[in-house]
Short mmCIF file of all heavy atoms in Angstrom, two decimals:
data_model
loop_
_atom_site.label_atom_id
_atom_site.label_comp_id
_atom_site.label_asym_id
_atom_site.label_seq_id
_atom_site.Cartn_x
_atom_site.Cartn_y
_atom_site.Cartn_z
N PHE A 30 -19.50 0.39 4.33
CA PHE A 30 -20.03 -0.24 5.53
C PHE A 30 -21.38 -0.89 5.24
O PHE A 30 -21.62 -2.04 5.60
CB PHE A 30 -20.16 0.82 6.63
CG PHE A 30 -20.73 0.32 7.93
CD1 PHE A 30 -20.09 -0.66 8.66
CD2 PHE A 30 -21.90 0.87 8.43
CE1 PHE A 30 -20.61 -1.11 9.87
CE2 PHE A 30 -22.44 0.43 9.64
CZ PHE A 30 -21.78 -0.56 10.36
N ASP A 31 -22.23 -0.14 4.53
CA ASP A 31 -23.54 -0.65 4.14
C ASP A 31 -24.29 -1.24 5.33
O ASP A 31 -24.87 -2.33 5.25
CB ASP A 31 -23.41 -1.69 3.02
CG ASP A 31 -22.86 -1.11 1.72
OD1 ASP A 31 -22.38 0.04 1.74
OD2 ASP A 31 -22.91 -1.81 0.70
N ASN A 32 -24.22 -0.50 6.45
CA ASN A 32 -24.90 -0.94 7.68
C ASN A 32 -24.49 -2.35 8.07
O ASN A 32 -25.32 -3.22 8.38
CB ASN A 32 -26.41 -0.82 7.51
CG ASN A 32 -26.84 0.62 7.29
OD1 ASN A 32 -26.54 1.49 8.09
ND2 ASN A 32 -27.52 0.87 6.18
N ALA A 33 -23.17 -2.59 8.05
CA ALA A 33 -22.54 -3.86 8.45
C ALA A 33 -22.82 -5.00 7.49
O ALA A 33 -22.61 -6.17 7.83
CB ALA A 33 -22.92 -4.25 9.87
N ARG A 34 -23.23 -4.69 6.26
CA ARG A 34 -23.46 -5.74 5.26
C ARG A 34 -22.34 -5.79 4.22
O ARG A 34 -22.51 -6.43 3.18
CB ARG A 34 -24.83 -5.53 4.59
CG ARG A 34 -26.01 -5.74 5.53
CD ARG A 34 -27.33 -5.80 4.77
NE ARG A 34 -27.63 -4.54 4.14
CZ ARG A 34 -28.31 -3.56 4.73
NH1 ARG A 34 -28.75 -3.70 5.97
NH2 ARG A 34 -28.57 -2.45 4.06
N PHE A 35 -21.22 -5.15 4.52
CA PHE A 35 -20.08 -5.17 3.61
C PHE A 35 -18.87 -5.69 4.38
O PHE A 35 -18.67 -5.36 5.55
CB PHE A 35 -19.81 -3.75 3.08
CG PHE A 35 -18.94 -3.71 1.85
CD1 PHE A 35 -19.48 -3.98 0.60
CD2 PHE A 35 -17.59 -3.40 1.94
CE1 PHE A 35 -18.68 -3.93 -0.55
CE2 PHE A 35 -16.79 -3.36 0.82
CZ PHE A 35 -17.33 -3.63 -0.44
N PHE A 36 -18.06 -6.52 3.75
CA PHE A 36 -16.91 -7.15 4.41
C PHE A 36 -16.04 -6.09 5.10
O PHE A 36 -15.79 -5.05 4.52
CB PHE A 36 -16.07 -7.90 3.36
CG PHE A 36 -14.98 -8.74 3.95
CD1 PHE A 36 -15.22 -10.04 4.33
CD2 PHE A 36 -13.69 -8.23 4.13
CE1 PHE A 36 -14.21 -10.83 4.88
CE2 PHE A 36 -12.69 -9.00 4.68
CZ PHE A 36 -12.95 -10.31 5.05
N PRO A 37 -15.62 -6.34 6.35
CA PRO A 37 -15.70 -7.58 7.13
C PRO A 37 -16.92 -7.74 8.02
O PRO A 37 -16.87 -8.47 9.00
CB PRO A 37 -14.42 -7.52 7.96
CG PRO A 37 -14.20 -6.06 8.20
CD PRO A 37 -14.67 -5.38 6.95
N PHE A 38 -18.02 -7.04 7.70
CA PHE A 38 -19.32 -7.27 8.34
C PHE A 38 -19.29 -7.03 9.85
O PHE A 38 -19.86 -7.79 10.62
CB PHE A 38 -19.82 -8.69 8.07
CG PHE A 38 -19.75 -9.11 6.63
CD1 PHE A 38 -18.86 -10.09 6.22
CD2 PHE A 38 -20.55 -8.50 5.67
CE1 PHE A 38 -18.77 -10.47 4.89
CE2 PHE A 38 -20.47 -8.88 4.34
CZ PHE A 38 -19.59 -9.86 3.94
N SER A 39 -18.66 -5.97 10.28
CA SER A 39 -18.51 -5.70 11.71
C SER A 39 -19.09 -4.34 12.07
O SER A 39 -18.83 -3.34 11.38
CB SER A 39 -17.03 -5.73 12.11
OG SER A 39 -16.86 -5.28 13.45
N MET A 40 -19.84 -4.28 13.16
CA MET A 40 -20.36 -3.01 13.65
C MET A 40 -19.24 -2.10 14.13
O MET A 40 -19.43 -0.89 14.27
CB MET A 40 -21.37 -3.25 14.78
CG MET A 40 -22.68 -3.87 14.32
SD MET A 40 -23.54 -2.88 13.05
CE MET A 40 -23.85 -1.37 13.97
N GLU A 41 -18.08 -2.66 14.40
CA GLU A 41 -16.95 -1.83 14.85
C GLU A 41 -16.36 -1.00 13.73
O GLU A 41 -15.44 -0.21 13.95
CB GLU A 41 -15.87 -2.71 15.50
CG GLU A 41 -16.33 -3.30 16.82
CD GLU A 41 -15.23 -4.07 17.53
OE1 GLU A 41 -14.13 -4.21 16.97
OE2 GLU A 41 -15.48 -4.52 18.66
N ALA A 42 -16.90 -1.15 12.52
CA ALA A 42 -16.49 -0.29 11.41
C ALA A 42 -17.36 0.96 11.31
O ALA A 42 -17.13 1.80 10.44
CB ALA A 42 -16.54 -1.07 10.09
N ASP A 43 -18.35 1.10 12.19
CA ASP A 43 -19.26 2.22 12.11
C ASP A 43 -18.64 3.47 12.75
O ASP A 43 -17.63 3.39 13.46
CB ASP A 43 -20.58 1.87 12.80
CG ASP A 43 -21.76 2.64 12.22
OD1 ASP A 43 -21.53 3.50 11.34
OD2 ASP A 43 -22.90 2.38 12.64
N TYR A 44 -19.29 4.61 12.53
CA TYR A 44 -18.73 5.89 12.95
C TYR A 44 -18.64 6.04 14.46
O TYR A 44 -17.85 6.84 14.97
CB TYR A 44 -19.58 7.04 12.38
CG TYR A 44 -20.98 7.12 12.94
CD1 TYR A 44 -21.26 7.83 14.11
CD2 TYR A 44 -22.04 6.48 12.31
CE1 TYR A 44 -22.54 7.90 14.62
CE2 TYR A 44 -23.32 6.54 12.81
CZ TYR A 44 -23.57 7.24 13.97
OH TYR A 44 -24.84 7.30 14.49
N ASP A 45 -19.45 5.27 15.21
CA ASP A 45 -19.47 5.46 16.65
C ASP A 45 -18.44 4.60 17.38
O ASP A 45 -18.37 4.64 18.61
CB ASP A 45 -20.86 5.20 17.22
CG ASP A 45 -21.41 3.82 16.87
OD1 ASP A 45 -20.73 3.07 16.14
OD2 ASP A 45 -22.52 3.49 17.34
N PHE A 46 -17.63 3.84 16.63
CA PHE A 46 -16.51 3.17 17.28
C PHE A 46 -15.31 4.11 17.16
O PHE A 46 -14.77 4.31 16.07
CB PHE A 46 -16.20 1.81 16.67
CG PHE A 46 -15.22 1.03 17.52
CD1 PHE A 46 -15.66 0.20 18.53
CD2 PHE A 46 -13.85 1.18 17.34
CE1 PHE A 46 -14.76 -0.49 19.34
CE2 PHE A 46 -12.95 0.51 18.14
CZ PHE A 46 -13.41 -0.33 19.14
N VAL A 47 -14.87 4.66 18.28
CA VAL A 47 -13.86 5.72 18.27
C VAL A 47 -12.57 5.32 19.00
O VAL A 47 -11.68 6.14 19.17
CB VAL A 47 -14.42 7.01 18.89
CG1 VAL A 47 -15.62 7.50 18.10
CG2 VAL A 47 -14.80 6.79 20.37
N GLY A 48 -12.47 4.05 19.41
CA GLY A 48 -11.31 3.61 20.16
C GLY A 48 -11.68 3.27 21.59
O GLY A 48 -12.84 3.42 22.01
N CYS A 49 -10.68 2.82 22.35
CA CYS A 49 -10.91 2.38 23.73
C CYS A 49 -9.93 3.06 24.68
O CYS A 49 -8.80 3.39 24.31
CB CYS A 49 -10.70 0.87 23.85
SG CYS A 49 -11.67 -0.12 22.70
N GLY A 50 -10.36 3.24 25.92
CA GLY A 50 -9.47 3.75 26.96
C GLY A 50 -8.81 5.06 26.56
O GLY A 50 -9.46 6.00 26.10
N SER A 51 -7.50 5.11 26.71
CA SER A 51 -6.76 6.33 26.37
C SER A 51 -6.71 6.57 24.87
O SER A 51 -6.31 7.64 24.41
CB SER A 51 -5.34 6.26 26.93
OG SER A 51 -4.64 5.14 26.40
N GLY A 52 -7.15 5.57 24.09
CA GLY A 52 -7.18 5.72 22.63
C GLY A 52 -8.50 6.25 22.10
O GLY A 52 -8.67 6.35 20.88
N LYS A 53 -9.42 6.64 22.98
CA LYS A 53 -10.70 7.18 22.51
C LYS A 53 -10.47 8.45 21.71
O LYS A 53 -9.78 9.37 22.15
CB LYS A 53 -11.63 7.46 23.69
CG LYS A 53 -12.36 6.23 24.19
CD LYS A 53 -13.46 6.61 25.18
CE LYS A 53 -14.27 5.38 25.56
NZ LYS A 53 -15.35 5.71 26.52
N GLY A 54 -11.07 8.49 20.53
CA GLY A 54 -10.93 9.62 19.64
C GLY A 54 -9.84 9.43 18.60
O GLY A 54 -9.77 10.19 17.63
N TYR A 55 -9.02 8.39 18.76
CA TYR A 55 -7.90 8.17 17.85
C TYR A 55 -8.20 7.09 16.81
O TYR A 55 -7.33 6.73 16.03
CB TYR A 55 -6.63 7.83 18.64
CG TYR A 55 -6.15 9.01 19.45
CD1 TYR A 55 -6.61 9.21 20.75
CD2 TYR A 55 -5.26 9.93 18.91
CE1 TYR A 55 -6.20 10.31 21.50
CE2 TYR A 55 -4.84 11.03 19.64
CZ TYR A 55 -5.31 11.21 20.93
OH TYR A 55 -4.90 12.31 21.66
N THR A 56 -9.42 6.59 16.82
CA THR A 56 -9.92 5.75 15.73
C THR A 56 -11.06 6.52 15.07
O THR A 56 -12.06 6.84 15.73
CB THR A 56 -10.45 4.40 16.26
OG1 THR A 56 -9.36 3.64 16.79
CG2 THR A 56 -11.11 3.60 15.15
N VAL A 57 -10.89 6.83 13.80
CA VAL A 57 -11.90 7.62 13.08
C VAL A 57 -12.39 6.80 11.89
O VAL A 57 -11.65 6.59 10.92
CB VAL A 57 -11.32 8.97 12.59
CG1 VAL A 57 -12.42 9.81 11.94
CG2 VAL A 57 -10.65 9.72 13.74
N ASN A 58 -13.61 6.32 11.99
CA ASN A 58 -14.23 5.54 10.91
C ASN A 58 -15.20 6.40 10.13
O ASN A 58 -16.09 7.03 10.72
CB ASN A 58 -14.96 4.33 11.48
CG ASN A 58 -14.01 3.24 11.94
OD1 ASN A 58 -13.06 2.91 11.24
ND2 ASN A 58 -14.26 2.67 13.11
N VAL A 59 -15.04 6.40 8.82
CA VAL A 59 -15.95 7.10 7.92
C VAL A 59 -16.64 6.03 7.08
O VAL A 59 -16.09 5.58 6.07
CB VAL A 59 -15.21 8.11 7.04
CG1 VAL A 59 -16.18 8.84 6.11
CG2 VAL A 59 -14.42 9.11 7.90
N PRO A 60 -17.83 5.59 7.49
CA PRO A 60 -18.48 4.44 6.85
C PRO A 60 -19.47 4.86 5.77
O PRO A 60 -20.49 5.50 6.04
CB PRO A 60 -19.20 3.77 8.02
CG PRO A 60 -19.56 4.91 8.94
CD PRO A 60 -18.53 6.00 8.73
N TRP A 61 -19.19 4.49 4.53
CA TRP A 61 -20.16 4.74 3.46
C TRP A 61 -21.28 3.70 3.55
O TRP A 61 -21.03 2.52 3.79
CB TRP A 61 -19.51 4.59 2.09
CG TRP A 61 -18.38 5.50 1.74
CD1 TRP A 61 -17.25 5.16 1.07
CD2 TRP A 61 -18.28 6.93 1.95
NE1 TRP A 61 -16.44 6.26 0.86
CE2 TRP A 61 -17.06 7.36 1.39
CE3 TRP A 61 -19.11 7.87 2.56
CZ2 TRP A 61 -16.64 8.70 1.43
CZ3 TRP A 61 -18.70 9.20 2.61
CH2 TRP A 61 -17.48 9.59 2.04
N ASN A 62 -22.48 4.16 3.31
CA ASN A 62 -23.63 3.25 3.31
C ASN A 62 -24.24 3.09 1.92
O ASN A 62 -25.39 2.64 1.79
CB ASN A 62 -24.68 3.73 4.32
CG ASN A 62 -24.25 3.45 5.74
OD1 ASN A 62 -23.83 2.33 6.05
ND2 ASN A 62 -24.32 4.45 6.59
N LYS A 63 -23.49 3.45 0.90
CA LYS A 63 -23.91 3.21 -0.48
C LYS A 63 -22.67 3.11 -1.35
O LYS A 63 -21.59 3.53 -0.96
CB LYS A 63 -24.84 4.32 -0.98
CG LYS A 63 -24.16 5.68 -1.09
CD LYS A 63 -25.16 6.76 -1.50
CE LYS A 63 -25.65 6.62 -2.92
NZ LYS A 63 -24.59 6.91 -3.92
N LYS A 64 -22.83 2.54 -2.54
CA LYS A 64 -21.72 2.45 -3.47
C LYS A 64 -21.64 3.72 -4.31
O LYS A 64 -22.38 4.67 -4.10
CB LYS A 64 -21.86 1.20 -4.34
CG LYS A 64 -23.19 1.04 -5.04
CD LYS A 64 -23.28 -0.36 -5.66
CE LYS A 64 -24.66 -0.60 -6.26
NZ LYS A 64 -24.79 -1.98 -6.77
N HIS A 65 -20.70 3.73 -5.26
CA HIS A 65 -20.51 4.83 -6.20
C HIS A 65 -19.98 6.11 -5.55
O HIS A 65 -20.12 7.19 -6.12
CB HIS A 65 -21.79 5.14 -6.98
CG HIS A 65 -22.33 3.95 -7.71
ND1 HIS A 65 -21.55 3.14 -8.52
CD2 HIS A 65 -23.58 3.41 -7.74
CE1 HIS A 65 -22.29 2.16 -9.02
NE2 HIS A 65 -23.53 2.30 -8.55
N MET A 66 -19.37 6.02 -4.37
CA MET A 66 -18.72 7.19 -3.79
C MET A 66 -17.45 7.49 -4.59
O MET A 66 -16.69 6.58 -4.94
CB MET A 66 -18.39 6.94 -2.32
CG MET A 66 -19.60 6.70 -1.45
SD MET A 66 -20.77 8.06 -1.49
CE MET A 66 -21.58 7.89 0.08
N GLY A 67 -17.23 8.77 -4.87
CA GLY A 67 -16.12 9.12 -5.74
C GLY A 67 -15.30 10.29 -5.26
O GLY A 67 -15.24 10.58 -4.05
N ASP A 68 -14.68 10.99 -6.20
CA ASP A 68 -13.75 12.06 -5.86
C ASP A 68 -14.39 13.12 -4.97
O ASP A 68 -13.76 13.58 -4.00
CB ASP A 68 -13.24 12.73 -7.14
CG ASP A 68 -12.40 11.81 -8.01
OD1 ASP A 68 -11.98 10.73 -7.52
OD2 ASP A 68 -12.15 12.16 -9.18
N ALA A 69 -15.61 13.53 -5.27
CA ALA A 69 -16.26 14.59 -4.50
C ALA A 69 -16.41 14.19 -3.04
O ALA A 69 -16.15 14.99 -2.13
CB ALA A 69 -17.62 14.93 -5.11
N GLU A 70 -16.86 12.95 -2.80
CA GLU A 70 -17.09 12.49 -1.43
C GLU A 70 -15.77 12.34 -0.66
O GLU A 70 -15.66 12.75 0.50
CB GLU A 70 -17.84 11.17 -1.45
CG GLU A 70 -19.31 11.28 -1.84
CD GLU A 70 -19.54 11.47 -3.34
OE1 GLU A 70 -18.65 11.07 -4.14
OE2 GLU A 70 -20.60 12.02 -3.71
N TYR A 71 -14.76 11.78 -1.30
CA TYR A 71 -13.48 11.59 -0.62
C TYR A 71 -12.80 12.93 -0.33
O TYR A 71 -12.23 13.13 0.75
CB TYR A 71 -12.57 10.68 -1.45
CG TYR A 71 -12.88 9.21 -1.26
CD1 TYR A 71 -14.02 8.64 -1.84
CD2 TYR A 71 -12.07 8.39 -0.49
CE1 TYR A 71 -14.32 7.29 -1.66
CE2 TYR A 71 -12.35 7.05 -0.30
CZ TYR A 71 -13.49 6.50 -0.88
OH TYR A 71 -13.78 5.18 -0.69
N LEU A 72 -12.88 13.86 -1.26
CA LEU A 72 -12.30 15.17 -1.01
C LEU A 72 -13.03 15.90 0.11
O LEU A 72 -12.41 16.59 0.94
CB LEU A 72 -12.32 16.00 -2.29
CG LEU A 72 -11.24 15.66 -3.31
CD1 LEU A 72 -11.55 16.31 -4.65
CD2 LEU A 72 -9.86 16.11 -2.81
N ALA A 73 -14.35 15.76 0.15
CA ALA A 73 -15.11 16.40 1.23
C ALA A 73 -14.67 15.87 2.59
O ALA A 73 -14.47 16.65 3.54
CB ALA A 73 -16.61 16.15 1.02
N VAL A 74 -14.50 14.56 2.69
CA VAL A 74 -14.07 13.96 3.96
C VAL A 74 -12.66 14.41 4.32
O VAL A 74 -12.37 14.74 5.48
CB VAL A 74 -14.15 12.43 3.87
CG1 VAL A 74 -13.43 11.77 5.04
CG2 VAL A 74 -15.61 11.98 3.85
N PHE A 75 -11.77 14.45 3.34
CA PHE A 75 -10.41 14.90 3.63
C PHE A 75 -10.41 16.34 4.13
O PHE A 75 -9.75 16.66 5.13
CB PHE A 75 -9.53 14.77 2.37
CG PHE A 75 -8.75 13.50 2.29
CD1 PHE A 75 -9.38 12.26 2.40
CD2 PHE A 75 -7.38 13.50 2.08
CE1 PHE A 75 -8.66 11.07 2.33
CE2 PHE A 75 -6.65 12.33 2.01
CZ PHE A 75 -7.29 11.12 2.13
N HIS A 76 -11.11 17.21 3.44
CA HIS A 76 -11.06 18.63 3.79
C HIS A 76 -11.75 18.94 5.11
O HIS A 76 -11.28 19.81 5.86
CB HIS A 76 -11.72 19.46 2.68
CG HIS A 76 -10.82 19.72 1.51
ND1 HIS A 76 -9.71 20.54 1.59
CD2 HIS A 76 -10.85 19.27 0.24
CE1 HIS A 76 -9.10 20.58 0.41
NE2 HIS A 76 -9.78 19.82 -0.43
N HIS A 77 -12.83 18.25 5.42
CA HIS A 77 -13.65 18.64 6.56
C HIS A 77 -13.49 17.76 7.79
O HIS A 77 -13.94 18.17 8.87
CB HIS A 77 -15.12 18.70 6.14
CG HIS A 77 -15.39 19.74 5.10
ND1 HIS A 77 -15.36 21.09 5.37
CD2 HIS A 77 -15.65 19.63 3.78
CE1 HIS A 77 -15.61 21.77 4.26
NE2 HIS A 77 -15.78 20.91 3.28
#
């Protein structure tokens, strides 16, 4: 995400966009704000 400086450059890719109406909570965005994220970070997100 890089604070909306990574393609597609949209604030709707941030963690606080969770869906609309009856779909609230069914959109889960996990936005990285730095590069070099790897196995440890992805496994942490999957598990937790």
Side-chain angles (χ1 to χ4, degrees):
F30 179 61
D31 295 12
N32 298 304
R34 293 191 295 271
F35 197 80
F36 188 88
F38 312 112
S39 171
M40 290 303 297
E41 291 185 356
D43 207 356
Y44 67 88
D45 56 357
F46 191 90
V47 299
C49 306
S51 59
K53 278 190 174 180
Y55 293 89
T56 294
V57 185
N58 286 315
V59 180
W61 299 140
N62 285 312
K63 65 184 291 291
K64 52 190 175 184
H65 304 311
M66 297 302 206
D68 295 347
E70 287 77 25
Y71 279 74
L72 282 167
V74 167
F75 265 54
H76 279 291
H77 296 289

